[in-house]
Amino acid sequence: MYLTLKYLNGQPIIAINPDPSRWDGKLLPFEIGQLKETVINTINKKMPFKTVTFAQATTNDGQSLLAVNDLFIGPKSHTSAQYILQWNGAEEVQSSSGIIVSTGLGSTGWFQSILAGAMAITGEASHPLLQGFSWSDRKLQFSVREPFPSRTTGVALTFGTIEPDSPLQLGSLMPENGVIFSDGIEDDYLQFNAGCIAHIGIADIQGQLISQKGRQRI
């Protein structure tokens, strides 16, 4: 249901928990018995909601894709991604397993596995983003997966915050099989091959999730 958000244009979503005995209610706050009342109150604009910030990838050849949880930019198969990364006034040619860009909603998912691996390697016991960040925060986090240092590729720009004044730009150096997909849906992707330049930033459109708690506004 949450993946439906990126195909809407601001319409609210009511998330129903199909089996409260099995599923945590954090992302599915309503039960089926509450549906009728919740729908009526939503139509009458009496329900609180949470605002969800989306990520957006746009390319120089006119492609565009939204993400509710995260974007993946990299190779279609198990090969290395080759690209030029530009962020926060710096530039670096990189070779890696791809880049993950996480939203606030996605910051407790795939993003946490990336943090867990990094913390295990460095021996750190905590991280400021270990609990993720707010769904409505106007920011994104990018993480480079398995960056490879060499004479021609660097590893300095591997983790950072994308904000309105600091977007991420990626120029593909891959002759084929470069892709950008979102929210784990590999069949819904953009081509990211040599000559393609992708701009990754915060989408203008936002999602609305009907909530049982107070309103969250940005």
Side-chain angles (χ1 to χ4, degrees), residues 114-162:
I114 295 171
L115 280 185
M119 290 168 60
I121 291 171
T122 60
E124 298 290 333
S126 64
H127 190 279
L129 295 174
L130 196 56
Q131 301 302 317
F133 52 98
S134 174
W135 297 358
S136 62
D137 280 358
R138 300 291 286 169
K139 70 176 184 179
L140 311 167
Q141 286 292 142
F142 78 86
S143 309
V144 178
R145 301 173 65 208
E146 302 170 325
F148 183 74
S150 72
R151 291 182 179 180
T152 59
T153 58
V155 295
L157 304 176
T158 58
F159 188 81
T161 302
I162 300 170

Side-chain angles (χ1 to χ4, degrees), residues 10-13 30 42 45-52 135-136 206-218:
Q11 297 95 327
I13 287 282
F30 298 99
T42 299
K45 298 183 179 180
K46 295 181 179 179
M47 289 299 295
F49 63 89
K50 293 182 179 180
T51 300
V52 179
W135 297 358
S136 62
Q206 296 174 306
Q208 288 189 32
L209 293 175
I210 299 302
S211 171
Q212 290 185 326
K213 297 181 180 180
R215 292 176 185 247
Q216 287 189 355
R217 295 190 181 277
I218 59 173

